[in-house]
Amino acid sequence: MMKKGVKLKILSLSLAAVLAVSGCIAAGAADVEEEPAQVGTAVETSFLGRTTIRSELTYIGQIQPQRTINVASMITAEVTAVHFNIGDSVEEGDILFTVDATDIQNNIRQINAAAQLANIGVESAQHQLEQAEIQQQMQDIQQEIALQQAATAAASAAQQLETANQQHRLFRDYNHDALRDIADERRELNREIRDLTRGHHRDEYIYNRNRPERFDPGLAREYEALRAMMRPLDAAAFEIERAQETLQNAQRLAEISQDMAEFSFESAEGVHDIYLQNNRDQVQIMAEFGLQTAQAQLASTQAQMSTARTNLNRATVTSPISGVVSGRTVEVGQMASPSFPPFTIVEIDTVVVQVSVSESLINRVYVGQEVDVVIQALDGETSLTGTVTIVSPIAAATSTFPIRVELDNADGRIRPGMFSQVTFVEAQRENTFVVPKNVVQTDEQGEFVFVVRDGYAVRTNVRTGMETGNEIEILSGISETDQIVTVGQEFLEDGELVNVVAIDGRRVSG
């Protein structure tokens, strides 16, 4: 079978002969045909320099905020003012909204009045303690009555503590079952959400409403329905925990009451014994006990005041971080509660993109590594530098490893929801020869290139290494002084005359 190069050469010679004969006929005066000048095959060449070749892997991810905070009111009350809207920038501590604090303020006034009375009680007890030394007369019946009352109070406090303990145990067991059921329902809903969104980005239906071809209304409705089913579970769990905390507080109060009752009983017994022994210090002991009781009442009132002031502060809801309002679902006149956060604040001075890489790349990725990030949505600027901040130590269910990359976004141009391409260097070799893949040819004898020496193409065997999309590394067989044929090599044979028309991309004159 005739080779392609031979066919082209014969065709060229035949065409030259036809043109020569035609020229003789047209002239009519030539007696002898001239020998045509030998012309080499036109080629382009390059002198190679050492450079770097790298193999890269690119993954697609979606930009997310660095932090997302849902802000809710810690008390249930009517909203009286809202100060920010979606898209507004907020600073940490800015007031997002306020709720009606009238009831709290009234409660504070009542507690303040009780605190004043408690202070008077403490002062009175202190005065009684000072006068205790002059009080000497007590009646036996009063001692017996006081002792019986103290015993009754102690028994009643013990019974109350036992009742509180039983209620706490019963409710604790009930809570355990209820929270377990809620947890089971949460897991089931989360499993349904994962099944529903498998193959889709979690929030893809939100960020692609302007791209109908990427938006699945059915998926969005099912997703929102599942999320709506999750909210009552969260609220139920919160209410159970609050109820459990209330019972625990009741139990602690019962314990305190029992301790106080036992102390009262012990004090009554002591006073009784002292009285029976005609001890003149009995009045002073009672006065000391009165002072302790008054001080305890004052401490209780002060604790109530602290709680009321905390609730008053909670009537003004502030932003816990600096960022941008990404969600607002509250208006003046609505009821705010801890169960439904009406504000969502996102921190986007730094944004993140999470991609999942293959196991072949994971050992080449490390925290602090800089990677190229391309965001096509940015006008004119498509290449940024990101920093790897998290490398998952274990594979996900997809057998890939999640990687978190952070990007500086001080100017706010990068918006959550934008898609990005994150490029990782899989392998790299420096100070090596690199040529386009089509320069290296292969036959039964192996890989080779054509090198121009003294105007002729010389077949030169080479050994290749790393390959990328359009380039290949040459490990051996050539040097910097070799003139490599880069265009036209497909039509050459070893030892064939060549005509170099361009070197390193520049045309050769003449």
Side-chain angles (χ1 to χ4, degrees):
M1 184 176 182
M2 188 178 295
K3 294 183 178 179
K4 182 177 181 182
V6 176
K7 287 182 178 180
L8 291 173
K9 191 176 298 183
I10 293 174
L11 180 60
S12 298
L13 292 174
S14 299
L15 181 58
V18 171
L19 291 175
V21 172
S22 299
C24 292
I25 294 174
D31 295 330
V32 180
E33 180 180 344
E34 293 183 0
E35 182 74 21
Q38 188 175 9
V39 179
T41 302
V43 296
E44 296 183 14
T45 64
S46 291
F47 289 98
L48 299 185
R50 294 187 179 273
T51 184
T52 299
I53 185 172
R54 64 169 56 94
S55 175
E56 298 177 336
L57 292 176
T58 299
Y59 297 87
I60 304 297
Q62 194 172 31
I63 300 296
Q64 299 293 336
Q66 184 181 35
R67 283 198 296 172
T68 300
I69 304 295
N70 293 320
V71 184
S73 172
M74 297 302 294
I75 58 176
T76 300
E78 181 181 352
V79 176
T80 57
V82 182
H83 301 289
F84 291 94
N85 210 335
I86 294 176
D88 291 343
S89 296
V90 297
E91 298 294 330
E92 181 179 351
D94 283 350
I95 298 176
L96 300 177
F97 64 99
T98 58
V99 298
D100 186 12
T102 303
D103 292 340
I104 299 174
Q105 291 169 342
N106 291 335
N107 187 34
I108 288 177
R109 283 191 285 269
Q110 293 175 357
I111 296 174
N112 188 53
Q116 293 177 359
L117 291 175
N119 277 319
I120 294 173
V122 171
E123 293 175 356
S124 176
Q126 289 174 337
H127 177 71
Q128 290 176 6
L129 182 60
E130 293 172 355
Q131 300 297 319
E133 295 180 354
I134 64 174
Q135 296 180 6
Q136 300 177 1
Q137 299 180 355
M138 295 187 68
Q139 297 180 2
D140 184 60
I141 187 63
Q142 292 176 337
Q143 293 293 327
E144 295 294 335
I145 292 174
L147 186 60
Q148 291 176 2
Q149 289 177 343
T152 301
S156 176
Q159 181 62 40
Q160 291 176 0
L161 177 59
E162 179 61 24
T163 301
N165 287 335
Q166 291 177 356
Q167 292 178 348
H168 181 263
R169 287 193 295 270
L170 290 174
F171 196 74
R172 179 189 60 198
D173 296 337
Y174 170 78
N175 282 352
H176 180 270
D177 295 337
L179 290 173
R180 182 185 59 197
D181 293 341
I182 290 173
D184 292 339
E185 293 186 32
R186 279 176 169 169
R187 283 192 294 271
E188 181 62 22
L189 288 175
N190 283 324
R191 183 190 65 78
E192 293 183 22
I193 290 173
R194 287 195 301 270
D195 292 342
L196 178 65
T197 60
R198 182 171 286 116
H200 299 271
H201 191 275
R202 181 182 177 192
D203 295 328
E204 184 172 350
Y205 67 93
I206 296 176
Y207 297 111
N208 289 282
R209 292 186 182 277
N210 296 325
R211 299 179 63 183
E213 72 279 3
R214 299 291 296 276
F215 177 61
D216 186 342
L219 175 64
R221 286 192 297 271
E222 291 186 48
Y223 179 83
E224 289 297 337
L226 291 174
R227 293 300 298 172
M229 294 172 65
M230 185 72 76
R231 296 189 188 101
L233 296 178
D234 294 337
F238 177 80
E239 292 298 329
I240 289 175
E241 291 172 354
R242 289 188 61 186
Q244 186 171 359
E245 182 180 358
T246 300
L247 279 181
Q248 289 175 343
N249 291 335
Q251 185 182 26
R252 286 194 290 270
L253 289 175
E255 291 174 352
I256 294 173
S257 298
Q258 185 189 32
D259 292 339
M260 293 182 64
E262 290 177 353
F263 178 77
S264 299
F265 178 71
E266 292 172 0
S267 298
E269 282 186 326
V271 171
H272 182 66
D273 293 339
I274 292 171
Y275 173 75
L276 294 178
Q277 297 174 6
N278 294 321
N279 193 321
R280 299 174 63 86
D281 296 333
Q282 53 190 339
V283 176
Q284 185 176 0
I285 294 175
M286 292 298 297
E288 290 176 350
F289 174 72
L291 177 59
Q292 293 173 356
T293 302
Q295 290 173 337
Q297 181 63 40
L298 178 60
S300 175
T301 305
Q302 290 172 340
Q304 295 176 24
M305 177 65 75
S306 177
T307 300
R309 286 174 177 169
T310 298
N311 288 335
L312 181 61
N313 291 333
R314 289 173 175 173
T316 301
V317 183
T318 61
S319 176
I321 63 172
S322 298
V324 177
V325 178
S326 66
R328 169 189 157 178
T329 58
V330 66
E331 297 294 340
V332 174
Q334 292 181 339
M335 293 296 294
S337 72
S339 303
F340 301 99
F343 267 87
T344 300
I345 311 298
V346 293
E347 186 177 318
I348 59 173
D349 287 343
T350 299
V351 293
V352 301
V353 55
Q354 181 167 304
V355 295
S356 296
V357 304
S358 62
E359 61 182 15
S360 64
L361 179 63
I362 185 62
N363 288 331
R364 296 182 178 89
V365 181
Y366 55 88
V367 173
Q369 179 181 3
E370 292 186 346
V371 295
D372 290 334
V373 180
V374 174
I375 303 176
Q376 297 295 341
L378 297 183
D379 296 334
E381 183 182 349
T382 59
S383 182
L384 302 171
T385 299
T387 303
V388 176
T389 57
I390 294 178
V391 178
S392 175
I394 60 175
T398 57
S399 298
T400 56
F401 294 82
I403 304 295
R404 179 185 173 102
V405 177
E406 291 190 359
L407 290 168
D408 179 67
N409 189 35
D411 57 5
R413 296 181 62 208
I414 306 175
R415 298 180 180 273
M418 290 181 174
F419 284 93
S420 63
Q421 298 176 351
V422 183
T423 300
F424 297 88
V425 177
E426 183 181 28
Q428 178 173 301
R429 188 170 288 117
E430 299 177 350
N431 194 30
T432 189
F433 293 120
V434 180
V435 298
K437 280 186 176 180
N438 63 348
V439 171
V440 180
Q441 302 182 76
T442 304
D443 60 12
E444 63 276 3
Q445 297 179 11
E447 296 177 311
F448 66 93
V449 299
F450 282 106
V451 177
V452 176
R453 294 195 178 99
D454 300 326
Y456 292 89
V458 179
R459 173 194 168 112
T460 303
N461 292 330
V462 295
R463 183 167 63 90
T464 60
M466 184 186 299
E467 296 184 29
T468 63
N470 298 315
E471 297 178 324
I472 188 169
E473 176 190 20
I474 298 181
L475 298 175
S476 62
I478 60 173
S479 67
E480 288 92 339
T481 59
D482 288 330
Q483 189 176 2
I484 308 300
V485 177
T486 57
V487 177
Q489 66 274 12
E490 299 90 346
F491 308 110
L492 296 179
E493 292 184 1
D494 188 22
E496 183 176 346
L497 181 66
V498 295
N499 176 25
V500 179
V501 298
I503 301 176
D504 292 332
R506 295 188 296 271
R507 304 298 296 179
V508 176
S509 60

